[in-house]
Amino acid sequence: MLQFNKKLSRLTSCISLLFLLISFVGYSQRDIPPKPNKETAVYDGANLLTTSEEQRLTQKLVSYADTTSTQIVIATIESLQGEYAGTYATHWAEEWGIGMEGKDNGLFILVAEKERKIQIQTGYGLEPYMTDAYTYQIIQNIILPEFKGGDYYAGLDKGTTAVFEVLAGTFKGTPQRRGGSGNSAKPIAIFIVVFIIIIISLIGKSRGGGRGGGRRGRSTLMDAIILSSLG
């Protein structure tokens, strides 16, 4: 009887924990805002833009949609409230029906202020052009630097312009400073190291003299050259 009571107690605890997890998940889910009656290209739920900035971005994106039929929508929210940015952005874009029916050529940019997340979600019709590599470059090298400076409008303005260029085939990418500077500095660093070792070996030879000192100097120099060539 005692063993049965223990099993029942464990079962009750597991059920209570399950209900607690379900209630927590339900609480953390964030509803998608209802689609406005009037078609818009900017939903600034986090109030990151001024009225003038929101109007300029809206006019820019609406004009682009009228010209190309590609609909781009920007949405800012205060927090994801536990939602995964990619999944949430996909559901939002689907619920609002972003993009032309049959073409699936919509693009949705989500900005979550609290989590500092930027998500660019594209329809199937744009995926061959708007690749993950381009998306990464636009977010990391164009939008984020402006956001870090506190200028959300500049980040979204420049970011959407870069999207236009990608879809038009005129986007040239952004320079990779780290890679370039590292490659150019490597030969210089190798030369400096070899030069210093030569000087040290000559000083050691002049002080120690003899054949033994000379052999040690050449061995050290050769080791340094091999290690340098291996990076």
Side-chain angles (χ1 to χ4, degrees), residues 170-228:
T170 59
F171 184 69
K172 298 181 180 179
T174 52
Q176 303 299 317
R177 296 181 181 178
R178 292 184 180 179
S181 61
N183 292 335
S184 61
K186 185 176 179 181
I188 298 175
I190 293 174
F191 174 78
I192 292 174
V193 170
V194 172
F195 179 76
I196 292 174
I197 292 174
I198 292 174
I199 297 298
I200 292 174
S201 65
L202 292 175
I203 293 174
K205 183 177 180 180
S206 62
R207 288 182 177 179
R211 295 179 181 177
R215 283 196 295 270
R216 285 196 296 271
R218 285 194 296 271
S219 176
T220 304
L221 176 59
M222 185 57 66
D223 291 343
I225 293 174
I226 294 172
L227 290 173
S228 299

Side-chain angles (χ1 to χ4, degrees), residues 53-66:
E53 290 170 346
E54 185 176 343
Q55 289 174 350
R56 277 181 282 170
L57 271 178
T58 300
Q59 184 177 1
K60 173 184 179 180
L61 298 179
V62 169
S63 298
Y64 182 76
D66 292 340

Side-chain angles (χ1 to χ4, degrees), residues 105-178:
N105 58 344
L107 187 143
F108 184 64
I109 302 175
L110 176 66
V111 178
E113 182 182 19
K114 181 181 178 181
E115 292 82 2
R116 299 183 179 181
K117 292 280 187 180
I118 304 172
Q119 183 73 28
I120 297 180
Q121 212 70 22
T122 59
Y124 289 115
L126 300 182
E127 285 184 354
Y129 313 98
M130 195 70 190
T131 63
D132 291 341
Y134 283 143
T135 299
Y136 179 83
Q137 286 190 52
I138 291 172
I139 291 175
Q140 295 293 326
N141 303 332
I142 296 176
I143 299 179
L144 273 181
E146 299 294 343
F147 277 20
K148 289 178 180 178
D151 197 338
Y152 293 100
Y153 171 76
L156 294 172
D157 183 45
K158 293 179 180 180
T160 50
T161 297
V163 171
F164 295 171
E165 292 174 353
V166 168
L167 299 180
T170 59
F171 184 69
K172 298 181 180 179
T174 52
Q176 303 299 317
R177 296 181 181 178
R178 292 184 180 179

